[in-house]
Amino acid sequence: MTQDHCSAMLDGDRLVLENRCIRREFDWNGGHLVSRSLIDRRTGRVWTLAADKPDCALPDQSDEPADGTLEVTDRPATAAEPGHLQVDCTVRLADLWIRRRFRIYPDCPAIACDFYLRGRAAGQWTLADVDAAGLTNIEDRQAAREGRVRATVMERLATGDRHLKLTAVQFFDVTDRRNNLVAARTILPYRQETRLTGNLLLISNVLEADRGLFVLKEAPCSDVQLAHPGCDFVAITGEVRVVGLGVTPADVLADEWTRCYGVVTGVAAGDEYSLLTALKQYQANLRVAQPGRDHSIMLNTWGDRSATDKIGEAFCIAELDAGSRLGVTHFQIDDGWQMGEAYTPPGGALRPQVAGRSDPGYDSRQFWQINPERFPDGFAPVAEHARKVGIELCLWTAPGTVDSYARWRDDADMMIEVHRRYGIRTFKIDGVQIPDKQADRNFRAMLDRVMAATDGEAVFNLDATAGRRFGYHYLTHYGNIFLENRYTDWGNYYPHWTLRNLWTLSRYVPTQGLQIEFLNRWRNAGKYPANDPLAPGRVPFDYCFAITMMAQPLAWFEATGLPAEAFEIAGLIHTYREHQERMHAGMVFPIGAEPDGTRWTGFQSVRDDGGYILVLREYNQQETAQLGLWGLAGRRIRCKMVAGSGGDFIGSMQVPDDGRVEFRVAGPHGFALYEYLLV
């Protein structure tokens, strides 16, 4: 069966999945698949795979397949999901059923695989700690087996190559407590198993530069995954395995499919740019980006720390007016609009007769009733004023956590009702805690219920600031990620810290899916050292905004509390809005040096026909800098400045063969945004 050059064919014992970019072949093996080759159809390069056992393996589980079936479904595009071919390979191993659901997107150099389990598992899927110092010399096969990882295996790539280089990239959320969000480790595999931790593995053959693979584990960050086996990848000479399905045998239900973590395998040349481009091409297929819905400049007042005190009809209408002057596109009512207390106030108690979100008596209908003292006529006057000033109204919520989100239907129905009555479709989801697989299952069901009821129009801002949540590669197709809380009140907002987090993530994570904050730089100047040149009060407001432009800008303040001079950036914001969709249509890469407050740095958005370059001069006295650009070495481009204080380029220019271009930006904490076209 085919869709837009995507196909799945079973011929005898050979299963072939392919599109115009990638071809993957398996031995059918009764439905218990064994990989045989990966082919980059754009270059013809082949990875021959020679595993002696199936790709998927579960400790103590039989490998004898039975009742294997293949089902191919054409999934047309929806308001949120791109069209693709869905291929279900289902097999029974003793009393356990395994379903591998492949997703094949047109013109994408990667194939995704989601895992589902049903039935009864044998044995235990656990990993015992290994004392590396206690392992003996590898003199025989028995000794070589010592210390092997015991874990569920999702993917097995038995390339046989002796000269691979592997880079594992680990990600960190819980951003209230962490400010270093990416760590990479590069190894050369050896005969003893090497355990690697992270969501992403980049694989290249050091002798063949045009042959590379990437493997993405679609799961939360490693240190908060469920049933994590202590690593995500296991490598030996000639073979790589992806481990950790995110479930234990006790999580598998007898008569209902349990969705596990997934894995994506893609092909590219072995250089970094090619591998990251292939990764980003896959990520671009996870969600349809619609104008007006998925491109925003959101105003949320929580960043000024008034908490729930000011929330009410008059305040929200005043914020809409101020936000309109500034140029924002979305306004989000945060905590305080509802009858229940989402968080117990210091020294206080929950409002009488309204049980808390984790209380056994939690009742969504009471808890999420609109507070009549603050909004006497519900949200109707605020929604009407939002329409009048051309701003989309959005809402904050924090679903009830009691019994692993057992009341998920009621929480979903509250959001559906708000959407029906007031047209609200964007919801920040906060206060999340996923302690077990049942919570994961119920939380996803809640989101799916809202998506279905809104015909795919809902957008969820999934908060990544605390708790056991979802990271950067799990549930991302539901909307975007609220990355971090930063406050001048506590002195933990520095523009260059925010910039650094975005810059380091941008190599591997689509920046278009990250909400990145800019704050009221005039507040709390006394909370910072008077001689600190990197303090927010010393950084121009337009630069604070410019940092966010390759992402989804988040105005993390009360617009009514801004001084008059703050509104001078309205022109910049309106200019940005003219370019935002085209900018976000590209693949965003970091350029320049890693930000530390004193460097020349920035981003490049790459499209087939051109793109954008954002140059950021941090606090330094260097008038010019040469920055390497992605994919433009030796190319001729026509470049014009869109915003900022950089030197303009007149006519077309030839990019040097080393890809480095000299830029000039006036003064420290300056920026320049350029649009370029390939000539």
Side-chain angles (χ1 to χ4, degrees), residues 432-498:
V432 175
Q433 188 65 261
I434 306 295
D436 51 40
K437 190 60 188 178
Q438 187 60 45
D440 181 285
R441 183 185 291 116
N442 288 341
F443 190 90
R444 183 189 285 268
M446 179 189 70
L447 301 185
D448 286 340
R449 186 178 180 91
V450 178
M451 291 297 287
T454 61
D455 295 324
E457 286 296 327
V459 179
F460 297 104
N461 314 133
L462 296 178
D463 187 286
T465 64
R468 187 185 292 273
R469 299 184 185 175
F470 310 112
Y472 309 97
H473 307 285
Y474 192 62
L475 306 190
T476 53
H477 59 289
Y478 289 109
N480 55 38
I481 298 169
F482 180 96
L483 183 64
E484 58 189 26
N485 296 307
R486 296 294 183 264
Y487 304 104
T488 58
D489 304 71
W490 299 336
N492 71 337
Y493 169 64
Y494 278 94
H496 74 278
W497 284 356
T498 293

Side-chain angles (χ1 to χ4, degrees), residues 26-325:
F26 305 85
D27 285 347
W28 174 245
N29 188 36
H32 200 17
L33 305 181
V34 182
S35 288
R36 287 298 172 227
S37 67
L38 273 164
I39 302 170
D40 187 338
R41 297 191 65 190
R42 300 164 301 180
T43 65
R45 300 300 294 178
V46 178
W47 293 84
T48 300
L49 306 174
D52 59 357
K53 57 184 67 175
D55 297 351
C56 177
L58 308 173
D60 300 328
Q61 193 71 39
S62 167
D63 265 347
E64 290 298 321
D67 303 321
T69 61
L70 177 70
E71 183 179 359
V72 183
T73 307
D74 185 351
R75 296 292 299 249
T78 69
E81 182 182 49
H84 62 281
L85 198 67
Q86 176 180 294
V87 183
D88 286 347
C89 300
T90 307
V91 66
R92 179 173 59 83
L93 306 180
D95 294 327
L96 182 68
W97 289 85
I98 300 174
R99 173 169 291 167
R100 298 179 67 181
R101 173 166 290 172
F102 294 94
R103 289 177 280 119
I104 310 174
Y105 298 96
D107 298 317
C108 176
I111 297 175
C113 181
D114 304 318
F115 281 81
Y116 296 79
L117 300 178
R118 188 186 71 190
R120 184 168 61 86
Q124 294 296 316
W125 304 338
T126 57
L127 170 69
D129 290 336
V130 175
D131 179 10
L135 298 177
T136 61
N137 294 338
I138 301 179
E139 299 294 348
D140 54 40
R141 291 183 179 179
Q142 177 59 38
R145 285 193 287 269
E146 294 177 355
R148 285 192 172 177
V149 172
R150 176 185 174 86
T152 54
V153 178
M154 309 167 67
E155 174 77 290
R156 189 187 308 272
L157 299 174
T159 69
D161 293 80
R162 300 183 64 85
H163 301 294
L164 296 180
K165 181 169 65 173
L166 310 181
T167 298
V169 186
Q170 185 174 3
F171 301 86
F172 304 89
D173 54 4
V174 193
T175 57
D176 276 354
R177 297 178 179 272
R178 300 195 279 207
N179 203 41
N180 298 280
L181 308 183
V182 179
R185 179 190 178 197
T186 299
I187 69 159
L188 302 180
Y190 187 56
R191 60 192 297 199
Q192 182 67 24
E193 290 180 346
T194 301
R195 305 173 186 191
L196 297 167
T197 302
N199 287 87
L200 177 64
L201 188 69
L202 304 177
I203 305 171
S204 59
N205 186 313
V206 299
L207 297 179
E208 300 176 72
D210 59 350
R211 204 152 62 100
L213 300 171
F214 79 82
V215 182
L216 178 67
K217 183 176 179 182
E218 293 194 304
C221 297
S222 302
D223 61 354
V224 297
Q225 286 178 27
L226 298 173
H228 191 251
C231 60
D232 299 285
F233 308 104
V234 178
I236 59 173
T237 304
E239 182 175 303
V240 173
R241 299 193 296 276
V242 186
V243 299
L245 282 166
V247 295
T248 68
D251 296 322
V252 182
L253 304 179
D255 54 1
E256 179 182 334
W257 287 106
T258 295
R259 182 168 181 167
C260 309
Y261 297 151
V263 63
V264 184
T265 305
V267 295
D271 63 282
E272 183 186 34
Y273 181 50
S274 297
L275 286 168
L276 295 181
T277 296
L279 170 66
K280 290 174 184 287
Q281 287 172 327
Y282 166 74
Q283 291 167 328
N285 281 286
L286 293 178
R287 181 175 172 84
V288 172
Q290 287 191 4
R293 184 190 70 183
D294 295 291
H295 306 278
S296 67
I297 305 169
M298 182 175 286
L299 171 62
N300 183 308
T301 64
W302 195 265
D304 276 8
R305 299 300 301 161
S306 294
T308 64
D309 293 347
K310 294 184 179 180
I311 295 295
E313 180 181 305
F315 174 72
C316 290
I317 288 175
E319 284 294 309
L320 284 166
D321 287 336
S324 177
R325 287 178 58 205

